[in-house]
C-alpha cells in the first residue's frame, strides 16, 4: 500500500461513512423487548380515518344477512373472505413464519380494515359494510348483494402459483352523485421480525404516480403525510420483507390519494401504522370498469420485477451503479446457487465467483504495490535530496515514474473499481428476504444480527449484544491489513489508518445482518489467500530489472501530454501557494510596523 493507495483507502472509507450516515438504514442499538401477544381490537377502525355514511342511503336488505367465510387458496396464499362486507378478512402467507415461529398473517381483520365509499344522491354507502351472498367457482369467488333494483357485485380471482389476486367491483341501479368513490385502507402492521428497529425503518407507503413515477413516504420520523393530486397506478404498504399492494388498471387509475404513516418506537408490537385514502371514478363502478389487482406476498426482486411501473423498486437494492451490481450480478449469481441449500455455502461460492471476476483488478493492484515497493529507496532518496521543497520533490517523482513506466494512480484505480460491489453488499443484505430465517452455526437468522452475548447495558454506537460474525470480520480485516502493509511503502501514520478503520466498522456493523458480516469475513479470508498466492508469482527482482530497462529506454523519451499538464498544474499550484505566503508575510510585516508606531 503506497501513498496513493493509502489516500485511496481513506477516500473509500470516507465514501462508506457517507453511505452509512446518509443512505444506509441505521441499525438497532438497543436491546429489543420481548413483544406482548398481539391482540389488536377488532374495533380498531374507530380510531382510523373514516368517511361518514348515511343510513338512509342503504336498502334494509343490504344490512341483514348471514355471515359466512369463503376461502381462496393456492400454493402460496390462503385468503379468507366474509360475506359481511365481501372484503378480505385474512391473508396467510404459506412458507413463511414470524420470527417466533407463528403463522405469518400479512393481513387480518384484527389489524387491517378497508372501506369502499360510494357517493349516491341519497347519501354515502360503504360497499364493504353490507351483506353479500357468495358463490365459489374454482379459484374465483363471486359476491352479490341485491335489493329493490340495486345490485353490487364483487369478484375475486386468485391466480395459480402466484401472490396475485384479481378484483372487480360493479354496481347497478344507484343514482350516483358527482363525487368520486373512495377506497379507504388502514392497517397497524404487527411485528414479524426479531429486530423491530430496521423493520420499522424500512416500512412505509410506496406508490407510482403517472407523471412523477415511483416515490414513497419518508421512512423516518413518527408521522409522515402526503397528498398526491395526480393519478396513481399502484399503492403499496411496504414492510422490510413483505408487501401488500393494490394496482389499478390503466382505465381505472386512482385519481388522487392521501397517504399517512405513523410509528411509535416504544411499541414493539406494531411496526408501523398505515392509512391510505384512494379516490376512484364512480362512473367506472356503473360501467363495470372498476378492476384492480392485489399483490400480497414477499418483497422479493425476482417476483416484483415482473410487474410494470417500477414496482421492483420496493426492494431496496441501492441507487445507480450499486443497484445495477445487485440486479445484474449478485442476484443472478444467487439464483443459480440457491439449489446448494445452505446459505453459508452459497455465500462462500458467491465470494469465490466475485473474486475470480475481480482477479485481474486485484492482480494489477498488487503488481502496482510491488513496483512502488521496489522504487521506495529511490523515492526516499528524492525526499532527502529535495529537502522540504514539495514542488521539486513531486516533479522528480513524476520524472522517475515516467522513466520506469509507472502510473502512480494505477494501483489505486483497481481498488476504486471494486468499491461498487463493496457498497452494493451493504444495500443488498439488509433487504434480502432470501436470508430471512436462514441459520448458520450460532446465527439463527442471517437477515438480522447474530448474538453470542446479550449485555445488561447499552454501549453507545455498539448496542447491547455482541455479534461474533462482526468480531470475526474485524479480526480478518486487521490480518488482511497486516498482510497488505508487508508490501506497503506508506508512512507509518498512514498504515495506522488501516488498523483503526476495522475497529470503527465493528461498532457500525454490530447490529447489521449476520449475513453481511459473514460475507465480509469470507471475503477477507479469500483476499488473504489470494494475496499469498499472487505473492508467490510476483518476483520483485524481475520487476526491478524491468523497471531498470524501462528507465534506460525512456531516458530521452518525450513527456506525455498528460504528464506535462500535470507538472504544469503542480507548478501553478506551488506558485500560487508561494504568492499567498509572500502576501501573508508582507501583511505581517506591515502589521508589525504599525504596532511599533
Amino acid at each position: 500500500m503506497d501513498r496513493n493507495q493509502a489516500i485511496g483507502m481513506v477516500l473509500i472509507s470516507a465514501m462508506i461513512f457517507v453511505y452509512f450516515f446518509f443512505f444506509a438504514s441505521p441499525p438497532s442499538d438497543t436491546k429489543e423487548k420481548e413483544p406482548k401477544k398481539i391482540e389488536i381490537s377488532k374495533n380498531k377502525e374507530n380510531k382510523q380515518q373514516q368517511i361518514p355514511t348515511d343510513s338512509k342511503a342503504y336498502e334494509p336488505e343490504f344490512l341483514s344477512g348471514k355471515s359466512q367465510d369463503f376461502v381462496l387458496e393456492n400454493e402460496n396464499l390462503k385468503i379468507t373472505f366474509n360475506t359481511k362486507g365481501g372484503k378480505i378478512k385474512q391473508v396467510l402467507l404459506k412458507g413463511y413464519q414470524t420470527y417466533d415461529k407463528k403463522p405469518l398473517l400479512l393481513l387480518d381483520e384484527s389489524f387491517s380494515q378497508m372501506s369502499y365509499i360510494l357517493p349516491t344522491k341519497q347519501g354515502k354507502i360503504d360497499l364493504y359494510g353490507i351483506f353479500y351472498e357468495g358463490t365459489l367457482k374454482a379459484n374465483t369467488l363471486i359476491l352479490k348483494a341485491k335489493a329493490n333494483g340495486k345490485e353490487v357485485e364483487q369478484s375475486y380471482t386468485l391466480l395459480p402459483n402466484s401472490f396475485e389476486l384479481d378484483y372487480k367491483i360493479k354496481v347497478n341501479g344507484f343514482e350516483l352523485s358527482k363525487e368520486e368513490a373512495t377506497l379507504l385502507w388502514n392497517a397497524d402492521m404487527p411485528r414479524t421480525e426479531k429486530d423491530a428497529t430496521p423493520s420499522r425503518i424500512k416500512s412505509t407507503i410506496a406508490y407510482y404516480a403517472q407523471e412523477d413515477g415511483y416515490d414513497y413516504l419518508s421512512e423516518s420520523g413518527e408521522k409522515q403525510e402526503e397528498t398526491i393530486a395526480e393519478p396513481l397506478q399502484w399503492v403499496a404498504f411496504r414492510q422490510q420483507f413483505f408487501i401488500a399492494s393494490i394496482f389499478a388498471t390503466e382505465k381505472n387509475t386512482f385519481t388522487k390519494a392521501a397517504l399517512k404513516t405513523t410509528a411509535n418506537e416504544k411499541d414493539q408490537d406494531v411496526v408501523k401504522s398505515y392509512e391510505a385514502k384512494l379516490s376512484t371514478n364512480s362512473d367506472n363502478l356503473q360501467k363495470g370498469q372498476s378492476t384492480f389487482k392485489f399483490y400480497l406476498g414477499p418483497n422479493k426482486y425476482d417476483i416484483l420485477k415482473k410487474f410494470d411501473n417500477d414496482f421492483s423498486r420496493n426492494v431496496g437494492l441501492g441507487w445507480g451503479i450499486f443497484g445495477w451490481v445487485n440486479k445484474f450480478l449478485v442476484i443472478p449469481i444467487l439464483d443459480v446457487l440457491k439449489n446448494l441449500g445452505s446459505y453459508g455455502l452459497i455465500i462462500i461460492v458467491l465470494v469465490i465467483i466475485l473474486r475470480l471476476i475481480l482477479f485481474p483488478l486485484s492482480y494489477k493492484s498488487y503488481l502496482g504495490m510491488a513496483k512502488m515497493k521496489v522504487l521506495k529507496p529511490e523515492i526516499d532518496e528524492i525526499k532527502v535530496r529535495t529537502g522540504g521543497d514539495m514542488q521539486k520533490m513531486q516533479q522528480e517523482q513524476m520524472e522517475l515514474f515516467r522513466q520506469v513506466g509507472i502510473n502512480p494512480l494505477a494501483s489505486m484505480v483497481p481498488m476504486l473499481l471494486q468499491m461498487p460491489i463493496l457498497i452494493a453488499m451493504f444495500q443488498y443484505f439488509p433487504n434480502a428476504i432470501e436470508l430471512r430465517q436462514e441459520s448458520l452455526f450460532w446465527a439463527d437468522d442471517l437477515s438480522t444480527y447474530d448474538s453470542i452475548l446479550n449485555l445488561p447495558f447499552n454501549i453507545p454506537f455498539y448496542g447491547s449484544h455482541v455479534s461474533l460474525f462482526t468480531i470475526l470480520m474485524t479480526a480478518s480485516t486487521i490480518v488482511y491489513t497486516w498482510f497488505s502493509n508487508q508490501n506497503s511503502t506508506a508512512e507509518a501514520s498512514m498504515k495506522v489508518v488501516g488498523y483503526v478503520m476495522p475497529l470503527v466498522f465493528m461498532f457500525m456493523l454490530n447490529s447489521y445482518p449476520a449475513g453481511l458480516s459473514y460475507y465480509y469475513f469470507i471475503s477477507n479470508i479469500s483476499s488473504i489467500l489470494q494475496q499469498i498466492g499472487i505473492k508467490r508469482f510476483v518476483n520483485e527482482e524481475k520487476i526491478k530489472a524491468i523497471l531498470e530497462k524501462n528507465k534506460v529506454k525512456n531516458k530521452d523519451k518525450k513527456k506525455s501530454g498528460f504528464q506535462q499538464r500535470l507538472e504544469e498544474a503542480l507548478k501553478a499550484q506551488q506558485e500560487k501557494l508561494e504568492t499567498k505566503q509572500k502576501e501573508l508575510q508582507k501583511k505581517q510585516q506591515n502589521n508589525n510596523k504599525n504596532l511599533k508606531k
Side-chain angles (χ1 to χ4, degrees):
M1 186 185 294
D2 58 22
R3 184 172 180 271
N4 288 313
Q5 283 189 302
I7 294 173
M9 286 299 296
V10 173
L11 289 174
I12 291 172
S13 300
M15 293 179 73
I16 293 175
F17 271 118
V18 170
Y19 170 81
F20 266 106
F21 286 108
F22 293 99
F23 299 103
S25 300
S28 170
D29 60 359
T30 58
K31 189 173 182 179
E32 296 293 348
K33 299 178 182 178
E34 279 298 316
K36 299 172 290 184
K37 183 178 180 181
I38 299 174
E39 293 182 353
I40 302 176
S41 171
K42 292 187 179 182
N43 294 321
K44 197 77 171 180
E45 63 267 26
N46 292 334
K47 83 174 187 71
Q48 296 174 337
Q49 174 184 331
Q50 293 291 318
I51 295 178
T53 56
D54 191 338
S55 60
K56 295 179 181 179
Y58 290 96
E59 297 293 336
E61 293 85 348
F62 282 160
L63 299 176
S64 62
K66 182 181 178 181
S67 178
Q68 183 181 1
D69 285 348
F70 286 88
V71 174
L72 292 178
E73 190 170 3
N74 65 9
E75 298 85 345
N76 302 318
L77 295 172
K78 180 181 179 182
I79 307 178
T80 304
F81 307 84
N82 191 272
T83 52
K84 184 179 179 181
K87 56 187 176 181
I88 297 173
K89 179 180 179 180
Q90 185 182 88
V91 176
L92 173 68
L93 288 184
K94 297 181 179 180
Y96 294 98
Q97 293 181 321
T98 61
Y99 72 100
D100 50 356
K101 306 304 179 184
K102 295 179 181 178
L104 200 151
L105 300 179
L106 183 60
L107 297 177
D108 187 82
E109 64 179 355
S110 65
F111 58 80
S112 176
Q113 293 291 328
M114 299 183 77
S115 297
Y116 204 146
I117 309 300
L118 177 69
T120 71
K121 290 182 178 180
Q122 292 73 36
K124 294 179 178 179
I125 299 175
D126 182 3
L127 299 179
Y128 290 166
I130 63 180
F131 279 88
Y132 294 82
E133 291 184 358
T135 303
L136 195 59
K137 297 181 179 179
N139 61 338
T140 298
L141 172 63
I142 299 174
L143 298 158
K144 292 183 179 181
K146 295 181 180 180
N148 296 329
K150 297 181 178 68
E151 181 179 0
V152 182
E153 180 179 324
Q154 301 185 63
S155 68
Y156 297 90
T157 301
L158 182 59
L159 302 183
N161 195 28
S162 76
F163 296 93
E164 300 171 43
L165 179 69
D166 286 343
Y167 174 53
K168 298 178 182 179
I169 182 169
K170 181 181 179 180
V171 300
N172 283 316
F174 291 90
E175 293 184 79
L176 301 182
S177 69
K178 294 182 180 180
E179 293 182 56
E180 292 184 308
T182 305
L183 177 64
L184 296 174
W185 188 5
N186 304 277
D188 293 332
M189 304 307 294
R191 173 181 174 182
T192 61
E193 310 305 318
K194 176 176 123 178
D195 193 351
T197 300
S199 297
R200 180 174 291 119
I201 292 171
K202 295 176 184 297
S203 297
T204 188
I205 299 179
Y207 61 90
Y208 186 91
Q210 282 189 348
E211 294 182 11
D212 295 334
Y214 173 85
D215 206 347
Y216 57 91
L217 272 62
S218 173
E219 297 162 322
S220 60
E222 294 183 357
K223 181 178 179 181
Q224 300 294 331
E225 292 183 271
E226 190 166 348
T227 299
I228 301 96
E230 61 177 291
L232 287 79
Q233 290 299 139
W234 56 261
V235 174
F237 287 3
R238 189 180 79 200
Q239 301 178 63
Q240 182 179 10
F241 294 122
F242 302 98
I243 189 167
S245 58
I246 184 169
F247 290 76
T249 58
E250 187 175 345
K251 295 181 180 180
N252 185 51
T253 57
F254 301 116
T255 57
K256 59 185 178 181
L259 309 175
K260 178 181 175 181
T261 62
T262 54
N264 181 1
E265 294 184 2
K266 296 180 181 179
D267 189 346
Q268 294 297 315
D269 298 332
V270 176
V271 172
K272 192 163 285 188
S273 297
Y274 303 96
E275 293 183 17
K277 179 181 176 182
L278 310 173
S279 298
T280 63
N281 191 316
S282 298
D283 290 337
N284 286 343
L285 285 164
Q286 293 273 41
K287 298 174 183 177
Q289 294 179 348
S290 286
T291 57
F292 306 91
K293 182 190 293 289
F294 288 94
Y295 175 82
L296 308 164
N299 197 17
K300 188 176 182 181
Y301 178 75
D302 284 347
I303 301 175
L304 270 55
K305 71 178 181 181
K306 299 174 184 176
F307 294 84
D308 294 331
N309 299 326
D310 285 342
F311 193 57
S312 63
R313 289 181 64 180
N314 283 299
V315 184
L317 298 180
W319 46 272
I321 189 171
F322 310 122
W324 300 340
V325 168
N326 283 323
K327 290 178 186 178
F328 305 117
L329 182 63
V330 177
I331 292 178
I333 291 175
L334 290 176
D335 284 343
V336 173
L337 299 178
K338 62 185 178 183
N339 292 328
L340 292 177
S342 168
Y343 263 86
L345 178 60
I346 290 173
I347 290 175
I348 290 175
V349 178
L350 172 65
V351 169
I352 293 173
I353 292 174
L354 293 178
R355 281 292 163 193
L356 290 174
I357 294 173
L358 296 173
F359 180 76
L361 295 176
S362 301
Y363 181 79
K364 189 172 182 180
S365 178
Y366 187 91
L367 196 61
M369 292 165 59
K371 290 178 180 179
M372 294 302 296
K373 184 178 180 182
V374 169
L375 286 178
K376 189 176 186 306
E378 295 184 57
I379 293 173
D380 291 341
E381 184 181 338
I382 290 174
K383 290 179 181 178
V384 174
R385 186 168 63 249
T386 55
D389 192 335
M390 290 295 296
Q391 180 186 354
K392 190 173 182 181
M393 182 186 73
Q394 290 174 342
Q395 288 177 343
E396 290 197 24
Q397 283 185 354
M398 292 300 295
E399 178 61 22
L400 174 63
F401 295 150
R402 183 189 69 82
Q403 289 180 0
V404 298
I406 287 181
N407 182 349
L409 301 178
S411 59
M412 185 177 72
V413 171
M415 296 175 66
L416 292 174
L417 292 176
Q418 296 179 57
M419 192 178 66
I421 292 180
L422 177 74
I423 300 296
M425 291 303 174
F426 278 114
Q427 190 69 38
Y428 174 74
F429 278 97
N431 298 306
I433 192 173
E434 292 85 353
L435 299 180
R436 185 177 183 271
Q437 297 183 354
E438 289 288 337
S439 61
L440 179 66
F441 304 131
W442 56 87
D444 57 2
D445 189 345
L446 289 176
S447 69
T448 187
Y449 62 81
D450 63 295
S451 177
I452 58 168
L453 178 64
N454 292 320
L455 305 174
F457 51 85
N458 182 66
I459 301 175
F461 304 106
Y462 184 75
S464 58
H465 64 272
V466 177
S467 167
L468 182 54
F469 274 132
T470 305
I471 292 175
L472 291 174
M473 180 204 69
T474 303
S476 62
T477 305
I478 292 173
V479 172
Y480 172 68
T481 301
W482 181 83
F483 269 94
S484 297
N485 284 341
Q486 303 309 301
N487 204 41
S488 172
T489 60
E491 301 293 337
S493 58
M494 298 299 292
K495 290 182 179 181
V496 171
V497 175
Y499 293 109
V500 172
M501 291 308 298
L503 298 176
V504 173
F505 285 119
M506 181 182 73
F507 277 77
M508 298 173 70
L509 294 176
N510 187 60
S511 292
Y512 272 73
L516 178 64
S517 300
Y518 175 70
Y519 169 83
Y520 280 112
F521 168 63
I522 298 299
S523 183
N524 286 336
I525 296 299
S526 68
S527 296
I528 293 170
L529 296 176
Q530 187 181 71
Q531 195 169 102
I532 293 173
I534 291 176
K535 190 174 182 179
R536 290 179 177 272
F537 293 95
V538 174
N539 189 313
E540 293 183 4
E541 291 300 322
K542 289 184 178 179
I543 291 175
K544 186 175 182 180
I546 292 172
L547 296 181
E548 290 297 330
K549 287 182 180 179
N550 289 342
K551 189 184 293 186
V552 174
K553 183 172 65 175
N554 297 328
K555 186 176 182 180
D556 299 322
K557 186 178 179 180
K558 292 184 178 180
K559 298 178 181 179
S560 66
F562 171 77
Q563 187 172 8
Q564 289 177 356
R565 289 192 296 272
L566 184 60
E567 289 183 358
E568 289 172 1
L570 290 172
K571 186 176 180 180
Q573 184 180 7
Q574 184 66 23
E575 290 175 352
K576 186 177 179 180
L577 182 62
E578 290 176 355
T579 301
K580 190 173 182 179
Q581 288 176 342
K582 288 179 180 179
E583 290 176 352
L584 290 172
Q585 289 176 355
K586 187 174 181 181
K587 187 176 181 180
Q588 185 65 38
Q589 290 174 356
N590 292 333
N591 290 337
N592 292 336
K593 288 180 181 179
N594 292 333
L595 288 172
K596 288 180 180 180
K597 290 180 180 180

